Amino acid sequence: MGDSKRVVYWLRRLSEIAMYGWLGMLLLLDLVLAGVVGGVQWLVLACSVAGIAAVALRRRYRVEGFAIMLALSFGTSLLAGSTGADTAPGMAETGSLLVLTIGVLRHVEPVRRAAGLACAALFVLMSEASGRDYQSSGLAFAFLLFAGWSTAAGIGGYLRFQQERRTEAVHSVRRAERLELARELHDLVAHHITGIVVQAQAARTVAETRPDAVAPALDAIASAGTDALTSMRRMVQVLRTEDGAERKPGTALADLRMLADRFSADGPKVAFEIGAGLDDRTLPPEVMTTLHRVLQEALTNIRKHAARTAWVEADLRRHERVVVLRVRNFGSGSDPRVARLGGGFGLVGMAERVEALGGRLYAGPSRQGAWEVVAEFPLP
């Protein structure tokens, strides 16, 4: 998985370098054309330089740079048309406008604003063809510019569609995790309330015969009530669904060991270690349940994305007021056949659960070259 991330990073860097190289070659052609034609063509060269600058700054000033380029290009076309000068469209200028159009259609919100800016780009490109009718070639320029704009608009629209699909998928995963967490926390609170009711009934039973036993029962009631309120405060913007879903009051450390043992039975061996100072009473039930889910998801990802892993190292430790679960796999990179399939929604769901309890999640390569998942939870 770490190898695939590095490959994607370098592919993006190389594509960026290739784009600037392409624009640079077009700028050299504009320079040659300006030296041959002269006059207003030098202003076209200035527009090409401005276009490359707008592309370089597109992530910070996407809409502003695009609007300035549209204004400069349209103004130059008006000047060339009004003076009747023999002027050709700028190659780097046009290329920059097409690159900016792709970015606008992909990133600008809302979508109607992006569509409006793309249509404005088409209008400006057509004004280039009509205002810069070099040696009566305006019709040919119009055809080429429209074909280039159509290609850029298609690429930008497709990238936006893919991005919105992934965004919707991420939201669906997060919503499902919130609902699952709400159900688990609801069951934990019900568990605490059941204890409160039992303690209250016991205190009422022994109140007359053994008054000294009432105080410990009241302390237990207060403790259970505090735990229930703590769990309730963590249920923010979550709803309970699927009333018939399976319920369980919590998870124990033994369940974590059992999960690691089941994984070792038909997969890479897992060395799971629990540090000193941790037991079933140390960790809140909702944290214990989320630890089980994180461990399960981390081991599942290893089986799916790094099936040739030599061994897995997992440990659960306490550091003052924080408990940390770390899962690392050694001896195997990602399977390229699986890496091409994409995904990553399991990590989204894990992060949603961990952050809902006030913790943090990290997933990525470690300094030792392993892939690791680290979940941190604050302790009360």
Side-chain angles (χ1 to χ4, degrees):
M1 286 183 281
D3 293 340
S4 63
K5 285 180 176 291
R6 283 191 290 269
V7 169
V8 170
Y9 169 78
W10 282 110
L11 284 177
R12 289 179 177 175
R13 292 294 300 271
L14 291 174
S15 63
E16 192 86 358
I17 293 172
M19 181 189 68
Y20 284 119
W22 173 63
L23 291 176
M25 292 176 61
L26 295 179
L27 183 63
L28 289 177
L29 293 176
D30 285 338
L31 179 61
V32 172
L33 189 60
V36 173
V37 177
V40 182
Q41 196 68 39
W42 289 103
L43 185 57
V44 174
L45 178 64
C47 287
S48 297
V49 174
I52 295 177
V55 170
L57 299 173
R58 68 189 184 280
R59 290 183 175 85
R60 182 176 297 181
Y61 305 106
R62 188 176 304 278
V63 176
E64 295 84 349
F66 188 63
I68 291 173
M69 267 305 300
L70 292 178
L72 287 176
S73 181
F74 183 68
T76 303
S77 299
L78 284 180
L79 179 61
S82 61
T83 58
D86 211 11
T87 311
M91 298 183 185
E93 172 192 7
T94 302
S96 299
L97 281 174
L98 295 179
V99 170
L100 293 173
T101 299
I102 293 174
V104 163
L105 284 173
R106 181 180 182 182
H107 296 289
V108 172
E109 297 290 348
V111 65
R112 60 177 177 273
R113 185 185 183 192
L117 289 172
C119 292
L122 176 61
F123 175 78
V124 169
L125 290 173
M126 292 300 98
S127 69
E128 285 187 23
S130 60
R132 308 178 198 180
D133 189 11
Y134 183 70
Q135 296 183 356
S136 302
S137 302
L139 184 60
F141 285 146
F143 175 78
L144 293 175
L145 292 175
F146 181 77
W149 178 87
S150 300
T151 303
I155 294 173
Y158 175 77
L159 292 176
R160 188 184 190 96
F161 171 72
Q162 293 296 329
Q163 179 174 290
E164 290 187 351
R165 280 187 61 188
R166 178 168 179 83
T167 300
E168 179 60 29
V170 169
H171 288 166
S172 297
V173 171
R174 288 179 172 171
R175 186 162 51 248
E177 290 295 338
R178 289 191 182 106
L179 295 176
E180 179 67 20
L181 183 60
R183 180 169 63 247
E184 291 175 358
L185 292 179
H186 174 276
D187 298 336
L188 292 173
V189 171
H191 178 68
H192 289 307
I193 292 177
T194 301
I196 292 174
V197 173
V198 171
Q199 293 287 345
Q201 291 174 342
R204 183 175 182 180
T205 301
V206 302
E208 297 180 359
T209 59
R210 295 180 56 194
D212 57 322
V214 174
L218 293 177
D219 292 338
I221 291 172
S223 177
T226 301
D227 292 340
L229 288 175
T230 301
S231 297
M232 286 293 294
R233 291 191 185 101
R234 291 175 175 174
M235 274 197 295
V236 179
Q237 297 180 348
V238 289
L239 299 172
R240 178 176 173 83
T241 58
E242 301 176 2
D243 292 336
E246 179 184 357
R247 302 181 182 182
K248 55 183 179 180
T251 304
L253 291 177
D255 296 317
L256 300 180
R257 289 192 181 277
M258 188 180 302
L259 179 62
D261 293 339
R262 285 202 305 266
F263 182 84
S264 299
D266 57 353
K269 299 302 179 183
V270 180
F272 184 52
E273 181 180 356
I274 299 177
L278 288 175
D279 54 38
D280 294 337
R281 295 169 297 179
T282 304
L283 302 175
E286 59 271 18
V287 172
M288 189 79 77
T289 303
T290 305
L291 284 171
H292 185 276
R293 177 60 183 271
V294 171
L295 179 61
Q296 181 182 44
E297 187 67 36
L299 295 177
T300 301
N301 283 342
I302 292 172
R303 178 171 290 153
K304 288 169 57 180
H305 300 289
R308 297 186 297 272
T309 293
W311 79 96
V312 180
E313 188 178 277
D315 58 79
L316 180 66
R317 301 186 184 278
R318 179 173 182 171
H319 303 281
E320 295 182 353
R321 308 294 295 179
V322 177
V323 62
V324 180
L325 173 66
R326 187 187 308 271
V327 183
R328 288 174 285 188
N329 61 289
F330 296 85
S332 174
S334 60
D335 189 337
R337 295 171 300 176
V338 177
R340 286 194 295 266
L341 299 177
F345 300 123
L347 293 177
V348 173
M350 283 197 292
E352 186 70 22
R353 279 176 167 262
V354 173
E355 292 169 5
L357 299 179
R360 297 184 301 172
L361 181 77
Y362 167 78
S366 66
R367 295 180 180 178
Q368 295 78 19
W371 179 270
E372 67 177 3
V373 175
V374 182
E376 300 180 0
F377 297 89
L379 293 176

